[in-house]
Amino acid sequence: MNLKLNVAHLYGDLLNTYGDIGNILVLEYYAKQMNVELTSEIVSLDQQFEESKFDLAFFGGGQDYEQVIVSKDIQNKKEALTFFIENDGPMLAICGGYQLLGEYYISAKGEKIAGINALPHYTKSQDNNRFIGDIIIKNSETGQEYHGFENHNGMTFLGNGERPLGTVISGHGNNGEDKSEGAIYKNVFCSYFHGPILARNGELAKRLLLLALKRKYPTSDFTQQEQLEIKPTY
Ligand code: GLN
């Protein structure tokens, strides 16, 4: 069988600081090893998110300026994105994208930037400070450690039904207070990690690809893909 996955790169022309697009290159790299043809397309301003066309979604991070623009436009995609998420669509959202999936983000200037409230977290602003630096976390379900680099003003607090992507071993994480980093809600994985996250954390790329494959081809056997060996890159 010809296995195919199509990725929606949400606002890839606006939210792509720190090379977050590398996450799509990493997905392509592992998809190839799984004998899966992976394609991607940008879904940006004034375009619809046609959820039935996509098997995975990726939403990168960005500056406050671009986030304000995206915040207005994404309200028109709120229904389709929420439908995709509630129907177990796999998604990876980084930093600014992570913030916009939640209730709101208070920018460095104190502006309230609306999210789509698809996930129950909210993000406050720090006073004249950013969390910048290397970070290591541990995922409690798999025991996997994830390594990355964070750079954010926002302090995110998780809501009911969300669990953290990991517990902070070193670095700041969601808010510098509760040792949580990122969020998992259904098949949505959120994080503040740049670097890009999947380049250093191939196990997470594998997890996303397997979720997408099993959802799209529910009667197929993916034992071979599950056995793909990921070598640590840190
Ligand atoms: N502008 C947001 C913040 O500073 C997101 C930053 C980012 O995506 N790196 O928190």
Side-chain angles (χ1 to χ4, degrees):
M1 187 174 36
N2 262 353
L3 300 169
K4 291 184 180 182
L5 291 176
N6 194 24
V7 182
H9 188 181
L10 298 169
Y11 303 96
D13 51 349
L14 287 163
L15 297 182
N16 181 37
T17 43
Y18 321 114
D20 283 337
I21 195 172
N23 288 308
I24 294 194
L25 302 180
V26 177
L27 288 171
E28 273 173 24
Y29 173 78
Y30 287 118
K32 207 167 173 186
Q33 295 177 42
M34 290 180 171
N35 291 319
V36 175
E37 188 191 324
L38 189 125
T39 49
S40 68
E41 49 189 284
I42 289 181
V43 179
S44 191
L45 300 179
D46 298 324
Q47 291 174 314
Q48 279 184 24
F49 174 68
E50 292 176 62
E51 54 82 27
S52 58
K53 275 175 58 181
F54 299 107
D55 312 304
L56 247 171
F58 171 63
F59 200 0
Q63 322 290 344
D64 290 2
Y65 179 81
E66 282 86 3
Q67 272 182 270
V68 172
I69 298 168
V70 171
S71 156
K72 290 180 187 138
D73 184 90
I74 200 172
Q75 303 307 328
N76 302 323
K77 300 178 181 58
K78 173 177 168 151
E79 207 178 311
L81 283 167
T82 305
F83 184 88
F84 181 78
I85 291 169
E86 286 303 314
N87 284 281
D88 300 323
M91 187 183 295
L92 174 65
I94 302 298
C95 212
Y98 168 24
Q99 294 168 348
L100 287 170
L101 290 183
E103 283 177 45
Y104 60 83
Y105 162 54
I106 308 288
S107 76
K109 282 189 197 150
E111 254 176 305
K112 189 169 184 175
I113 303 175
I116 58 169
N117 211 357
L119 272 61
H121 55 264
Y122 62 91
T123 304
K124 296 195 307 194
S125 177
Q126 302 180 60
D127 287 336
N128 263 326
N129 188 43
R130 297 184 70 81
F131 290 143
I132 304 174
D134 289 325
I135 171 163
I136 304 173
I137 62 171
K138 187 170 180 145
N139 177 278
S140 64
E141 294 145 60
T142 59
Q144 290 162 0
E145 268 187 16
Y146 300 136
H147 293 230
F149 181 83
E150 59 181 332
N151 181 356
H152 52 113
N153 160 59
M155 296 189 292
T156 298
F157 296 88
L158 301 185
N160 282 341
E162 280 179 309
R163 56 196 198 279
L165 177 65
T167 304
V168 174
I169 296 174
S170 63
H172 302 282
N174 279 335
N175 48 51
E177 292 171 11
D178 64 14
K179 293 267 172 213
S180 70
E181 202 292 320
I184 303 179
Y185 174 83
K186 289 185 165 262
N187 288 337
V188 182
F189 295 78
C190 301
S191 176
Y192 273 111
F193 281 29
H194 296 286
I197 187 169
L198 299 183
R200 292 177 73 187
N201 305 288
E203 290 294 350
L204 193 56
K206 179 175 166 181
R207 189 166 173 185
L208 281 162
L209 289 168
L210 282 169
L211 282 169
L213 285 169
K214 288 178 183 174
R215 177 170 176 265
K216 183 167 187 183
Y217 305 101
T219 57
S220 297
D221 175 31
F222 291 109
T223 314
Q224 189 207 329
Q225 283 78 3
E226 268 163 1
Q227 282 165 356
L228 178 73
E229 200 197 330
I230 306 285
K231 298 191 184 75
T233 52
Y234 47 86

